[in-house]
Amino acid sequence: MTPVELSRTVLRAVRRAVDEGELSVVVPVRAVVTPPGPGGCGDYATNIALQLARPAGRPARQVAEILRPHLTRSEGVADVAITGPGFLNIRLGGGAGASLVREIQRRRDAYGHGDILAGQIVPLRIPYDIRAEVVADTLVRIVATQGGRAEVHHIHIHRSCAEPAGTDLSRAEPAGADLPQAKTAGTDPSPAEPPHINAPQADPARPHRLHRPRPQITTLRPTPAREDPTPLGPDAARWALLHPASHDRPRISADHLLQRESNPLFRVRYAHARTRALTRNAAALGCTGDPGDVPEDVPGGGELVGALAGYPAVLTQAALHRAPDRLARHLVTTADALLAFQHTVLPLGDEKPSAAHRARLALAEAAGTVLAGGLSLLGISAPDYL
């Protein structure tokens, strides 16, 4: 069962509780399902009970107790536990890993894409700074995965009135007069003053028209790098600027070029290359990937399934919070799980390929798909050989 399918299962449980008169609420359009947080358990968790508590006029934990039996009886759900103020923690039955791998195989690079920003324009204001340019260029792609369209506007920041560095979401401003000219992310960061777009004067002879609400502008001011990152090359330079949170100053050094475990970029790209090598080596043995469940005692298996299942939520949060560093860090988590798991994929010695090997290979290949897609969104290459 994929996160999308589980979200529908949660909504069906709410609908059954409403139909049976246990809850008096409007069934929401979507239910958020994510990997469990600290203190949680199982495969996934949802805050649907907290979401429905106020409209139901009941404590969240009581709503969770009402929903729990309906969820437990759902196909593919093995157990449901309630933690904290009312989080429902769901442990899936057989088929969860296989279903997730099939979903990734079906959607390929579109896995994790959603529609939470469908039809929305997301204006981004940035200063003329290389890190801001790279962050905005990446956000254009990440926002597009959620159905939105980001537009980048350049602004001048004067030292005398400089704002705190970071992503300013609290000072969103309506688009309108005196907005700097929109540019495509990654264009020439010339220091020349960009032309302004002045609001047209109203024509009293024309009938009044209703206007849609103006989009909110986000000011992106990530902490600039002290050194020029371009000598690192395009891939390492982008990683050095994107991996830290926006309020952290990037560390520009040759460490980003080292092919060692201490280098997160190397681990992510190496993990992707390993998935491609596993496919080639398996083909030499006459073995191909076939989605199936991977036992929990396989090293790295559970962590890898969890990382892949959490990828859509990470993409959504990266788009909503204008934070590409969330995606970069999640790729590191996925890579580390794959590198711990890779040694179990192929047969050892005289061992013959089995259904278990084919299921593990399919899971590793799904991880390769997610790693390649995530690196592509960051504007970083994912070589098959490293």
Side-chain angles (χ1 to χ4, degrees):
M1 185 181 299
T2 66
V4 173
E5 293 169 339
L6 183 56
S7 176
R8 297 192 189 108
T9 299
V10 171
L11 292 178
R12 284 195 292 270
V14 174
R15 190 170 291 110
R16 284 195 295 269
V18 170
D19 291 344
E20 294 178 15
E22 298 174 288
L23 286 177
S24 179
V25 295
V26 176
V27 179
V29 176
R30 68 173 70 227
V32 178
V33 174
T34 62
C41 58
D43 299 302
Y44 295 98
T46 177
N47 65 348
I48 189 69
L50 284 76
Q51 180 182 342
L52 297 177
R54 177 172 290 184
R58 298 170 180 260
R61 199 166 179 93
Q62 190 178 106
V63 175
E65 291 287 359
I66 292 172
L67 295 177
R68 180 181 178 182
H70 294 287
L71 268 174
T72 304
R73 292 194 295 268
S74 301
E75 184 180 356
V77 175
D79 187 37
V80 179
I82 301 173
T83 60
F87 291 101
L88 289 161
N89 293 255
I90 304 167
R91 182 169 63 85
L92 300 179
S99 181
L100 174 64
V101 171
R102 290 192 189 96
E103 175 75 2
I104 295 173
Q105 288 180 337
R106 182 178 68 84
R107 301 198 65 186
R108 303 297 299 172
D109 291 344
Y111 172 68
H113 293 203
D115 59 359
I116 196 168
L117 295 176
Q120 295 188 33
I121 297 176
V122 180
L124 304 173
R125 297 196 323 168
I126 64 170
Y128 286 104
D129 170 71
I130 188 170
R131 188 183 186 197
E133 293 276 358
V134 170
V135 169
D137 175 68
T138 304
L139 283 174
V140 167
R141 286 187 290 273
I142 292 178
V143 167
T145 70
Q146 304 306 307
R149 180 166 64 87
E151 294 182 347
V152 181
H153 307 271
H154 288 88
I155 58 174
H156 276 292
I157 300 295
H158 300 289
R159 291 182 182 272
S160 59
C161 57
E163 303 170 8
T167 302
D168 186 356
L169 297 177
S170 62
R171 295 184 358 109
E173 306 169 19
D178 298 329
L179 183 67
Q181 184 178 12
K183 290 180 179 286
T184 303
T187 55
D188 178 24
S190 169
E193 178 71 21
H196 289 70
I197 300 176
N198 296 315
Q201 298 295 323
D203 185 351
R206 294 184 179 180
H208 176 70
R209 295 182 180 178
L210 294 177
H211 296 283
R212 295 181 180 178
R214 290 173 174 176
Q216 298 294 303
I217 299 175
T218 299
T219 300
L220 296 175
R221 293 197 57 237
T223 303
R226 286 195 176 98
E227 304 87 0
D228 179 11
T230 54
L232 296 177
D235 289 332
R238 291 185 72 92
W239 181 267
L241 298 174
L242 293 171
H243 182 251
S246 62
H247 57 270
D248 292 332
R249 192 173 296 280
R251 180 179 54 84
I252 308 300
S253 75
D255 290 348
H256 293 293
L257 302 175
L258 296 178
Q259 297 196 22
R260 296 179 183 173
E261 291 185 5
S262 59
N263 180 2
L265 173 59
F266 170 72
R267 296 206 305 275
V268 172
R269 300 176 84 205
Y270 178 67
H272 170 264
R274 285 300 303 150
T275 66
R276 298 298 186 255
L278 290 171
T279 299
R280 294 191 298 269
N281 295 337
L285 298 174
C287 178
T288 57
D290 184 23
D293 288 327
V294 176
E296 294 182 0
D297 59 350
V298 175
E303 291 81 358
L304 185 55
V305 170
L308 298 181
Y311 180 73
V314 169
L315 269 188
T316 300
Q317 293 303 310
L320 293 178
H321 294 278
R322 323 292 192 246
D325 56 288
R326 297 192 181 201
L327 172 58
R329 288 195 296 272
H330 189 76
L331 293 181
V332 176
T333 299
T334 305
D336 289 343
L338 184 279
L339 292 175
F341 173 75
Q342 62 167 327
H343 306 291
T344 70
V345 173
L346 298 180
L348 300 175
D350 296 332
E351 194 177 7
K352 300 295 183 183
S354 64
H357 294 114
R358 289 190 287 272
R360 295 171 193 172
L361 176 61
L363 178 58
E365 290 173 334
T369 298
V370 169
L371 290 170
L375 285 170
S376 176
L377 290 174
L378 297 178
I380 298 173
S381 65
D384 290 350
Y385 297 86
L386 194 62

